[in-house]
Amino acid sequence: MPSYRTIISALSVGQILVWAVMYYGFSSFVLPMQRDMGWSQPDIMGAFTVGLMVWGLATYAVGAAIDRGRGREVLTGGALLGAAGCALWSQAYNLPLLYTAGPCWGWPWP
């Protein structure tokens, strides 16, 4: 069985990568999306805002699930929703699809 230090180190690296992709990654693609898709910056950032709104609304339920000992399920579900959001985002050739992907970014990562 891996040591406590190994587990914490792996989780720490995982969190850094998740934040890089799910939070900061979107911001770095706003200008290229604006240029390539012809969408306005407020339209693009609106999808991110929807994701943050979902994040805020889901935080209490997710925290309660973690408190009930369901942290593993929350982490797995968050990873799956994040992956789904990135997959939808990669196929977003119109604003409604981008806004559909937005809530997947908004999953509250523990």
Side-chain angles (χ1 to χ4, degrees):
M1 174 147 172
S3 70
Y4 181 75
R5 182 181 300 259
T6 302
I7 292 170
I8 296 302
S9 296
L11 287 172
S12 299
V13 169
Q15 283 291 300
I16 290 169
L17 293 174
V18 164
W19 279 101
V21 171
M22 302 303 294
Y23 192 76
Y24 298 109
F26 184 85
S27 300
S28 63
F29 285 104
V30 170
L31 293 178
M33 284 192 296
Q34 187 178 0
R35 181 187 63 240
D36 294 345
M37 306 304 260
W39 302 331
S40 71
Q41 192 169 0
D43 284 341
I44 296 169
M45 291 308 296
F48 190 67
T49 301
V50 167
L52 293 177
M53 182 183 69
V54 170
W55 183 346
L57 293 173
T59 299
Y60 288 108
V62 168
I66 292 170
D67 288 344
R68 289 191 307 271
R70 307 205 45 116
R72 188 174 297 207
E73 290 88 352
V74 168
L75 196 59
T76 302
L80 293 173
L81 281 174
C86 286
L88 279 174
W89 179 24
S90 74
Q91 300 303 309
Y93 296 106
N94 57 50
L95 281 173
L97 190 54
L98 183 67
Y99 275 73
T100 302
C104 295
W105 298 312
W107 185 254
W109 291 92

